[in-house]
Amino acid sequence: MGEFKVHRVRFFNYVPPGIRCVAYNNQSNRLAVSRTDGTVEIYNLSANYFQEKFFPGHESRATEALCWAEGQRLFSAGLNGEILEYDLQALNIKYAMDAFGGPIWSMIASPSGSQLLVGCEDGSVKLFQITPDKIQFERNFDPQKSRVLSLSWHPSGTHIAAGSIDYISVFDVKSGSAIHKMIVDRQYMGVSKRKCIVWGVAFLSDGTVISVDSAGKVQFWDSATGTLVKSHLIANADVQSIAVADQEDSFVVGTAEGTVFHFQLVSVTSNSTEKQWVRTKPFQHHTHDVRTVAHSPTALISGGTDTHLVIRPLMEKVEVKNYDAALRKITFPHRRLISCSRKRQLLLFQFAHHLELWRLGSTAATGKNGDILPLSKNADHLLHLKTKGPENIICSSISPCGSWIAYSTASRVFLYRLNYEHDNISLQRISKMPAFLRSALQILFSEDSTKLFVASNQGSLHIIRLLEGSFKHLHTFQPQSGTVEAMCLLAVSPDGNWLAASGTSAGVHVYNVKHLKLHCTVPAYNFPVTALAIAPNTNNLVIAHSDQQVFEYSIPDKQYTEWSRNVQKQGFHHLWLQRDTPITHISFHPKRPMHILLHDAYMFCIIDKSLPLPNDKTVLYNPLPPTNESDVFRRRTGHAFKISKIYKPLLFMDLLDEGTLVAVERPLDDIIAQLPPPIKKKKFGT
Amino acid sequence: MAALGEEFTLSAEALFAGPDGLLGVEPSDKTDHFLVTDRSRTVVLYKVSDQKPLGSWSVKQGQIITCPAVCNYQTGEHIVVHDNKVLRIWNNEDVNLDKVFKATLSAEVHKIHSIQGTEPLVLFEGGAVRGLEALLAEPQQKIEKVICDGEVIKWTKFFVVFRHPVLVFITEKDGNHYAYVQMFNSRNLSKYSLLLGQEEKSVTLNFTAYVDRKFISLMSLSSDGCIYETLIPIYPGDTEKNQRLVRSLLLKAVVSGITRNGVTLTALDQDHVAVLGPPLPSSKECLSIWNIKFQTLQTSKELPQGTSGQLWFYGENLFMLHGKCLTVVPYKCGSSSLAGALGKLKHTQDTGTQTMPHFVNWEMSQGCGLGSPNSEQPRILRRKKTEISLQPEVPASEQLLSTIKSGSEKHIEVELRKFLAKWTPDFHTAIGDILTGLLGRCKAEPSFYPQNCLMQLIQTHVLSYSLCPGLMDTALEKTDVQMLQLCLQQFPDIPESVTCACLKTFLSIGDDSLQGININMESIFDYSNTEQDEKMEEQSEILRNGFNAEKNYSNHNRDLSKKPQDSTEETSSCPVIPKRAALLRNAILHSAYSETFLLPHLKDLPAQDITLFLQYLYFLYLKCSENATMTLPGIHPPTLSQIMDWICLLLDANFTVVLMIPEAKRLLINLYKFVKSQISVYSELNKIEVSFREIQKLNQEKNNTGLYSIEVLELF
């Protein structure tokens, strides 16, 4: 099949930021996740948990609360005291509004979705009315003595519960006055000095308020009388989050020890109507604090400092064995953070606030499968480019020739020219970027490095011609009339004639760059596109979707290729469809037109279109080299999918030249090593 | 659960109840109203809840009522036949039967049937059936004869099946019974002859029937005291006349087998049947409710004054003639529980012998292996499939049971092996029965103890403690440790008291008597082997899991170190002989228990046994701590926590006793020392955990190929 020299790179020192909030939207089955650096990601749970949208973070914006309101509108609030609304179409921030209460610790939408409630540092609880295009301050509730860390609305909308330090207040929404103040026991492991922080509250329709606090307790309060009904001590550390199912028959809490507990409302005896809350299942999928939990109808969702987003399906709620039945642990973003220059063998790593440029080493030796070759030259760190301003980098790219670097933040696009003189490199910033290039979601250079393609968040695509040290705007493809959907993925054909662009939901548009017009649109598919590439010579567009389907579409013929039709007719191998990370990169072999190279986080695969497709009976992944069996046997068992699982977690893999690959791995242990130490637990003699 | 209510009588002065009882009790159009017809001239309308008659009508002197009065639900009138041919129809307001509507028919009437929702049907003695309306339109019409000469109608019943009236009647000729099914709508008459099956001698006394979907289930009470069931298809399959139906045994010995008139039965619902008759030859008559499905007696009521052998059931009331009075017994069938259904089987055995449990396998009740060794038990529960079956051969299990009763031990063993070789559908129940039979004989004959048979039965893996509670008791009595070990390993549900009794036996049985017994020694030899090695290695000071016995003693306890030889001895050699060890380790330590229930029984252990057991447990604990994985060698070793739990339990139960025994003192001290040293090891481990992690990290880095490498990959 082929022998490659693989540059195995593990120096991409990427640490995903910890998860701070998750918010589940039942209506669209989407999950919003905010991270400690202010990044907000939207996962489509119906589309195999694909991360379909993201909003870049901002240094000063630490999100503390995230919620959906008015159906599909997403709001967040943070310690800078601002409430933000996100534009899910254009993928930018619609507006930011100061609540004037100091840092905001908590925010929740009313059961009807028309009002927002925020809890602030100064002890105020503020009610905002959601108008069609903005939010409007309505009034303050009775001020509290200390910061309001958690809020919950009674399902009827008449009362709210607010958790502060050492107590929980119950407010009447109409009058805005506190009707009960329930003091939480401060006692912590027998010591009663510490303050008891109420990290989360949940108001049930029968008037019960459930609170979780820093003393490791889950407590049930009667809001009518303001009395403690029941108390469960579940952890030696803080219980930091709570989420209740819509049916109010189960809820989930997350602790600082990394444990998630499931509570269920269970009949006391069979056939009796009397029910009580019982702690049913503990899950330990996290090593660090579980900062936030959510409860979808079929799964428990948790996230925390250890940066994993864990989706644990409730097996009793799952009916069919499909994607929903498997435990998901999402650690890495579903977009590319790495680009490479084939000609100069350079890798560009994108971090939140800087870029790193590395040159790969080389070797003269050869070897057989599995050998580690002696290096004649090690990899060099060429450049460390810090961004200006507090905004995170959205996307970045290095040109194939290695002499251009472009990146974009939420407000500006930057373009640099690199000059190589022997071992020295000089960097020259191209100033005076055109005004319309405010923010880009994706940047791509053409194969010959003469053109730059920029997908802006307004849905338009700009083509810029690069000249030595300057540039010229060539053309802008405007979005289809009436749509403002942002394009997130771009692909250009090696001959530079075709440009493919895909948004988050609609189909893939193919533009003719020569004639500067829309060539065709690939029929829309139910699942979002995760990767795009155009093959050399044939100009076949290969599209990977989040349900693990791969299509090949002939651009000149404006139809799916014969091979793609065959694949669809026969179907993919069931193990292929059961993979749980999306394909994030597709590339081609310049000398072998029948090969498609693609990878996800846990495997790298070469699809050989000339070989028969595997059916469900054949072994999809066979890591062992075939023993000296006859060619006949090899031909009989051989199939189109050649898979390697040596490199994982694999963030990037590309072909540098005919016989050389580059693989960028990010071992989880290296990430854990950079996280703060978890709460220490006894290991021996337990 | 079926239950009978408090009986009450209806004032009977108006009735003339002859020796043959009443002619009939029929419901009227109002609920709670019933028409009672006596054998001579009178019809009385009762309101049952008030226990009083609402009206009474008599025919003229000289006339005689030949057919019970019924109510025409469509008009609300009452109909009666006197002198076989004369039909009278009247209202509640009529006073004199002489003056009411009269129609004289051309043939003799056997019975008029009327049920809610249909026109009354008149069944003639010749088997012909007419609707009342058609008959009244032309009373003198010719009535054909359907049944043969000499055939007499014995019993009739009228159903509505899927809105179609169906009339069933049974005739008898020369001791043979025939069933006729008249579909009234289609005028379709089918005839079936009822075959008796193998029980030739019995005479059928009485019938009852209920509709079970597409069949009429006809139950007949025979003179041998059994109830048989015959399924009559409502819709005849083929047109062939004179089909044969075979009856099958449903319930055995519900009444004593005397041919007497005073027995009858009535189907109450799908599952319940009421039987009137003496349960034993000598006893008084009884009204009993049987559950057919579970074949159990649900309830019964004694009727000391005797009955006429007639029983009617309408709605919720059973009517019968008790003595001279018409008695009503309310019947109610609530939702039944299994325990209730199992409930009231009366044991009429001698009170001296203990009753053996019977096995009823609910999944396979059709099995015929339910025989009991004692054929005198009156109520053997059986149910056969209603298939037309030839004479079944005597089941193997029954054969075996009879062998068990009298055969020699050798013979039984041979038979049992034969039986076990083939699998039957009722294997579970048969095994249970056989075991019960064996145990029964063991009790009766102290010299009889078929150990091999019992072992074989246990090894079938189908038994549990609750299925044969007597087994372990017997084994304990005989101190058959081999059997006890097997039981402990096989049975999932041994009560703690029995476990404890076994423990006691295992500990107290003499070494020499143990030597002769063949015990499962699985994994025990590994011990003695390691023991040998251990003794040799002891010299070269191996560090056991951070703890060295000898060193520890000398460091921590100077005065004890005077006898280091002794303590080494104690820790390294097993305190019990291997056979006992096998019993304790492989059986007792693995048994399931609940602390609360075990603790009180552990208190009953004698002091020596406690010491011995504790010594053995301590030995196991030490063995456990010898290797890094904290496990014992061998297959299925008890876990460390199992051992610790037993140590704790034993100490909890007998703490004061252990404190008082001088021999135990050393053991306690050693145990304390060892546990203490283990705790300190663990705390030390916890302290250096961080260092471990660092070492691990260093190791990892060594293995790591670094941050960058170029490798060769070949894809196949």
Side-chain angles (χ1 to χ4, degrees), chain A residues 2 28 41 49 53 75 83 122 260 271 300 318 321 333 337 351 359 375 423 438 458 540 616 627 645:
Chain A
S28 58
E41 295 159 353
Y49 306 93
K53 292 166 194 180
F75 295 89
I83 303 172
D122 63 359
V260 168
N271 301 327
L300 308 181
V318 180
K321 193 190 170 212
L337 300 174
F351 296 86
R359 182 191 290 144
L375 296 176
D423 271 352
R438 275 196 51 242
Q458 299 304 318
N540 287 339
D616 280 358
T627 44
K645 294 190 180 178

mmCIF file of all heavy atoms in Angstrom, chain A residues 2 28 41 49 53 75 83 122 260 271 300 318 321 333 337 351 359 375 423 438 458 540 616 627 645:
data_model
loop_
_atom_site.group_PDB
_atom_site.id
_atom_site.type_symbol
_atom_site.label_atom_id
_atom_site.label_comp_id
_atom_site.label_asym_id
_atom_site.label_seq_id
_atom_site.Cartn_x
_atom_site.Cartn_y
_atom_site.Cartn_z
ATOM 1 N N GLY A 2 1.930 1.114 0.726
ATOM 2 C CA GLY A 2 2.785 2.282 0.743
ATOM 3 C C GLY A 2 3.573 2.377 2.008
ATOM 4 O O GLY A 2 3.119 1.989 3.078
ATOM 5 N N SER A 28 -33.606 22.401 19.863
ATOM 6 C CA SER A 28 -32.784 22.104 18.697
ATOM 7 C C SER A 28 -31.804 20.974 18.966
ATOM 8 O O SER A 28 -31.038 20.624 18.099
ATOM 9 C CB SER A 28 -32.008 23.346 18.295
ATOM 10 O OG SER A 28 -31.217 23.761 19.380
ATOM 11 N N GLU A 41 -18.767 27.231 22.431
ATOM 12 C CA GLU A 41 -18.877 26.263 21.346
ATOM 13 C C GLU A 41 -20.295 25.728 21.306
ATOM 14 O O GLU A 41 -20.941 25.600 22.339
ATOM 15 C CB GLU A 41 -17.914 25.085 21.581
ATOM 16 C CG GLU A 41 -16.453 25.491 21.534
ATOM 17 C CD GLU A 41 -15.538 24.502 22.234
ATOM 18 O OE1 GLU A 41 -16.046 23.567 22.869
ATOM 19 O OE2 GLU A 41 -14.317 24.691 22.145
ATOM 20 N N TYR A 49 -22.778 14.699 17.770
ATOM 21 C CA TYR A 49 -22.033 15.560 18.709
ATOM 22 C C TYR A 49 -20.971 16.391 18.015
ATOM 23 O O TYR A 49 -19.871 16.575 18.521
ATOM 24 C CB TYR A 49 -21.396 14.715 19.821
ATOM 25 C CG TYR A 49 -22.378 13.835 20.528
ATOM 26 C CD1 TYR A 49 -22.596 12.529 20.130
ATOM 27 C CD2 TYR A 49 -23.107 14.320 21.610
ATOM 28 C CE1 TYR A 49 -23.522 11.728 20.773
ATOM 29 C CE2 TYR A 49 -24.029 13.532 22.254
ATOM 30 C CZ TYR A 49 -24.234 12.232 21.834
ATOM 31 O OH TYR A 49 -25.138 11.461 22.478
ATOM 32 N N LYS A 53 -20.327 25.119 15.631
ATOM 33 C CA LYS A 53 -20.055 26.563 15.644
ATOM 34 C C LYS A 53 -19.166 26.878 16.825
ATOM 35 O O LYS A 53 -19.178 26.169 17.824
ATOM 36 C CB LYS A 53 -21.361 27.352 15.808
ATOM 37 C CG LYS A 53 -22.265 27.250 14.605
ATOM 38 C CD LYS A 53 -23.652 27.744 14.904
ATOM 39 C CE LYS A 53 -24.575 27.295 13.781
ATOM 40 N NZ LYS A 53 -25.947 27.712 13.958
ATOM 41 N N PHE A 75 -27.388 33.416 25.371
ATOM 42 C CA PHE A 75 -26.847 34.523 26.160
ATOM 43 C C PHE A 75 -25.751 34.004 27.073
ATOM 44 O O PHE A 75 -25.800 32.866 27.532
ATOM 45 C CB PHE A 75 -27.947 35.134 27.028
ATOM 46 C CG PHE A 75 -29.046 35.786 26.249
ATOM 47 C CD1 PHE A 75 -30.141 35.054 25.835
ATOM 48 C CD2 PHE A 75 -28.980 37.137 25.921
ATOM 49 C CE1 PHE A 75 -31.162 35.651 25.105
ATOM 50 C CE2 PHE A 75 -29.990 37.747 25.195
ATOM 51 C CZ PHE A 75 -31.087 37.009 24.784
ATOM 52 N N ILE A 83 -23.631 41.239 29.843
ATOM 53 C CA ILE A 83 -24.445 40.173 29.281
ATOM 54 C C ILE A 83 -24.248 40.240 27.771
ATOM 55 O O ILE A 83 -24.342 41.316 27.174
ATOM 56 C CB ILE A 83 -25.936 40.369 29.622
ATOM 57 C CG1 ILE A 83 -26.104 40.457 31.143
ATOM 58 C CG2 ILE A 83 -26.773 39.257 29.053
ATOM 59 C CD1 ILE A 83 -27.502 40.847 31.572
ATOM 60 N N ASP A 122 -22.570 42.343 43.690
ATOM 61 C CA ASP A 122 -23.024 43.259 44.743
ATOM 62 C C ASP A 122 -24.288 42.752 45.448
ATOM 63 O O ASP A 122 -24.878 43.470 46.236
ATOM 64 C CB ASP A 122 -23.255 44.660 44.163
ATOM 65 C CG ASP A 122 -24.359 44.677 43.125
ATOM 66 O OD1 ASP A 122 -24.923 43.587 42.848
ATOM 67 O OD2 ASP A 122 -24.666 45.753 42.584
ATOM 68 N N VAL A 260 -19.662 12.561 39.240
ATOM 69 C CA VAL A 260 -20.993 13.038 38.898
ATOM 70 C C VAL A 260 -21.976 12.050 39.498
ATOM 71 O O VAL A 260 -21.828 10.839 39.314
ATOM 72 C CB VAL A 260 -21.148 13.117 37.362
ATOM 73 C CG1 VAL A 260 -22.585 13.331 36.977
ATOM 74 C CG2 VAL A 260 -20.277 14.220 36.816
ATOM 75 N N ASN A 271 -45.466 -0.045 43.584
ATOM 76 C CA ASN A 271 -46.894 0.263 43.570
ATOM 77 C C ASN A 271 -47.280 1.401 44.498
ATOM 78 O O ASN A 271 -48.460 1.691 44.652
ATOM 79 C CB ASN A 271 -47.771 -0.941 43.951
ATOM 80 C CG ASN A 271 -47.539 -2.086 43.014
ATOM 81 O OD1 ASN A 271 -47.265 -1.859 41.846
ATOM 82 N ND2 ASN A 271 -47.635 -3.281 43.520
ATOM 83 N N LEU A 300 -26.601 12.476 30.604
ATOM 84 C CA LEU A 300 -26.034 13.405 31.570
ATOM 85 C C LEU A 300 -24.797 14.009 30.924
ATOM 86 O O LEU A 300 -23.963 13.290 30.385
ATOM 87 C CB LEU A 300 -25.637 12.680 32.847
ATOM 88 C CG LEU A 300 -26.684 11.801 33.504
ATOM 89 C CD1 LEU A 300 -26.116 11.177 34.766
ATOM 90 C CD2 LEU A 300 -27.910 12.617 33.853
ATOM 91 N N VAL A 318 -32.309 5.219 26.358
ATOM 92 C CA VAL A 318 -31.879 5.058 24.975
ATOM 93 C C VAL A 318 -32.554 3.827 24.390
ATOM 94 O O VAL A 318 -32.519 2.759 24.980
ATOM 95 C CB VAL A 318 -30.352 4.898 24.911
ATOM 96 C CG1 VAL A 318 -29.901 4.723 23.488
ATOM 97 C CG2 VAL A 318 -29.687 6.110 25.519
ATOM 98 N N LYS A 321 -29.523 1.254 19.574
ATOM 99 C CA LYS A 321 -28.075 1.376 19.693
ATOM 100 C C LYS A 321 -27.578 2.228 18.535
ATOM 101 O O LYS A 321 -27.546 1.796 17.399
ATOM 102 C CB LYS A 321 -27.457 -0.017 19.645
ATOM 103 C CG LYS A 321 -26.004 0.004 20.064
ATOM 104 C CD LYS A 321 -25.327 -1.297 19.793
ATOM 105 C CE LYS A 321 -23.830 -1.117 20.001
ATOM 106 N NZ LYS A 321 -23.074 -1.960 19.133
ATOM 107 N N PRO A 333 -10.966 20.329 19.851
ATOM 108 C CA PRO A 333 -11.909 21.008 18.964
ATOM 109 C C PRO A 333 -12.044 20.255 17.646
ATOM 110 O O PRO A 333 -11.111 19.576 17.214
ATOM 111 C CB PRO A 333 -11.271 22.381 18.754
ATOM 112 C CG PRO A 333 -9.856 22.214 19.103
ATOM 113 C CD PRO A 333 -9.783 21.137 20.128
ATOM 114 N N LEU A 337 -6.316 23.296 13.958
ATOM 115 C CA LEU A 337 -5.515 24.348 14.586
ATOM 116 C C LEU A 337 -4.129 24.413 13.953
ATOM 117 O O LEU A 337 -3.298 25.204 14.365
ATOM 118 C CB LEU A 337 -5.375 24.055 16.083
ATOM 119 C CG LEU A 337 -6.682 23.992 16.858
ATOM 120 C CD1 LEU A 337 -6.436 23.567 18.283
ATOM 121 C CD2 LEU A 337 -7.378 25.345 16.842
ATOM 122 N N PHE A 351 -2.541 28.954 18.702
ATOM 123 C CA PHE A 351 -2.948 28.950 20.108
ATOM 124 C C PHE A 351 -3.935 30.089 20.299
ATOM 125 O O PHE A 351 -4.241 30.836 19.357
ATOM 126 C CB PHE A 351 -1.729 29.126 21.022
ATOM 127 C CG PHE A 351 -0.752 27.993 20.938
ATOM 128 C CD1 PHE A 351 0.240 27.988 19.962
ATOM 129 C CD2 PHE A 351 -0.828 26.933 21.812
ATOM 130 C CE1 PHE A 351 1.136 26.942 19.871
ATOM 131 C CE2 PHE A 351 0.071 25.885 21.723
ATOM 132 C CZ PHE A 351 1.054 25.884 20.748
ATOM 133 N N ARG A 359 9.945 24.347 12.018
ATOM 134 C CA ARG A 359 10.459 23.674 10.829
ATOM 135 C C ARG A 359 10.778 22.230 11.209
ATOM 136 O O ARG A 359 11.399 21.975 12.243
ATOM 137 C CB ARG A 359 11.719 24.362 10.303
ATOM 138 C CG ARG A 359 12.234 23.693 9.027
ATOM 139 C CD ARG A 359 13.602 24.179 8.649
ATOM 140 N NE ARG A 359 13.583 25.564 8.184
ATOM 141 C CZ ARG A 359 14.562 26.428 8.427
ATOM 142 N NH1 ARG A 359 15.592 26.067 9.166
ATOM 143 N NH2 ARG A 359 14.497 27.655 7.975
ATOM 144 N N LEU A 375 17.859 11.150 13.657
ATOM 145 C CA LEU A 375 17.632 12.459 13.055
ATOM 146 C C LEU A 375 18.961 13.065 12.639
ATOM 147 O O LEU A 375 19.938 13.040 13.402
ATOM 148 C CB LEU A 375 16.968 13.390 14.072
ATOM 149 C CG LEU A 375 15.575 13.002 14.543
ATOM 150 C CD1 LEU A 375 15.111 13.979 15.612
ATOM 151 C CD2 LEU A 375 14.616 12.988 13.388
ATOM 152 N N ASP A 423 19.587 30.865 7.366
ATOM 153 C CA ASP A 423 18.906 30.411 8.565
ATOM 154 C C ASP A 423 18.077 31.500 9.227
ATOM 155 O O ASP A 423 17.394 31.252 10.202
ATOM 156 C CB ASP A 423 19.930 29.870 9.566
ATOM 157 C CG ASP A 423 20.165 28.394 9.306
ATOM 158 O OD1 ASP A 423 19.412 27.834 8.462
ATOM 159 O OD2 ASP A 423 21.061 27.821 9.927
ATOM 160 N N ARG A 438 -12.874 42.441 8.157
ATOM 161 C CA ARG A 438 -12.857 42.691 9.590
ATOM 162 C C ARG A 438 -12.564 41.417 10.377
ATOM 163 O O ARG A 438 -11.798 41.399 11.308
ATOM 164 C CB ARG A 438 -14.183 43.297 10.023
ATOM 165 C CG ARG A 438 -14.178 44.824 9.836
ATOM 166 C CD ARG A 438 -15.303 45.464 10.608
ATOM 167 N NE ARG A 438 -15.338 45.056 11.992
ATOM 168 C CZ ARG A 438 -16.357 44.394 12.539
ATOM 169 N NH1 ARG A 438 -17.399 44.091 11.820
ATOM 170 N NH2 ARG A 438 -16.323 44.066 13.791
ATOM 171 N N GLN A 458 -19.795 37.390 7.546
ATOM 172 C CA GLN A 458 -21.042 37.874 6.969
ATOM 173 C C GLN A 458 -21.530 36.969 5.844
ATOM 174 O O GLN A 458 -22.500 37.271 5.167
ATOM 175 C CB GLN A 458 -20.864 39.296 6.421
ATOM 176 C CG GLN A 458 -20.466 40.304 7.474
ATOM 177 C CD GLN A 458 -21.446 40.355 8.636
ATOM 178 O OE1 GLN A 458 -22.649 40.316 8.421
ATOM 179 N NE2 GLN A 458 -20.942 40.414 9.865
ATOM 180 N N ASN A 540 -12.213 16.367 -8.253
ATOM 181 C CA ASN A 540 -13.298 15.775 -7.466
ATOM 182 C C ASN A 540 -13.284 16.380 -6.079
ATOM 183 O O ASN A 540 -12.241 16.454 -5.429
ATOM 184 C CB ASN A 540 -13.111 14.260 -7.345
ATOM 185 C CG ASN A 540 -13.427 13.561 -8.646
ATOM 186 O OD1 ASN A 540 -14.135 14.116 -9.486
ATOM 187 N ND2 ASN A 540 -12.893 12.365 -8.814
ATOM 188 N N ASP A 616 -19.559 -5.764 6.004
ATOM 189 C CA ASP A 616 -19.553 -5.842 7.463
ATOM 190 C C ASP A 616 -18.867 -7.094 8.002
ATOM 191 O O ASP A 616 -18.564 -7.174 9.178
ATOM 192 C CB ASP A 616 -20.979 -5.760 7.999
ATOM 193 C CG ASP A 616 -21.458 -4.319 8.042
ATOM 194 O OD1 ASP A 616 -20.635 -3.447 7.688
ATOM 195 O OD2 ASP A 616 -22.596 -4.068 8.411
ATOM 196 N N THR A 627 1.057 -12.054 7.147
ATOM 197 C CA THR A 627 2.147 -13.018 7.150
ATOM 198 C C THR A 627 2.356 -13.457 5.711
ATOM 199 O O THR A 627 1.544 -13.173 4.839
ATOM 200 C CB THR A 627 1.774 -14.230 8.032
ATOM 201 O OG1 THR A 627 0.438 -14.572 7.726
ATOM 202 C CG2 THR A 627 1.895 -13.884 9.492
ATOM 203 N N LYS A 645 -3.759 3.175 13.468
ATOM 204 C CA LYS A 645 -4.179 3.802 14.723
ATOM 205 C C LYS A 645 -2.986 4.043 15.629
ATOM 206 O O LYS A 645 -3.109 4.100 16.840
ATOM 207 C CB LYS A 645 -5.197 2.905 15.435
ATOM 208 C CG LYS A 645 -6.487 2.776 14.661
ATOM 209 C CD LYS A 645 -7.562 2.095 15.471
ATOM 210 C CE LYS A 645 -8.833 1.991 14.658
ATOM 211 N NZ LYS A 645 -9.903 1.299 15.361
#
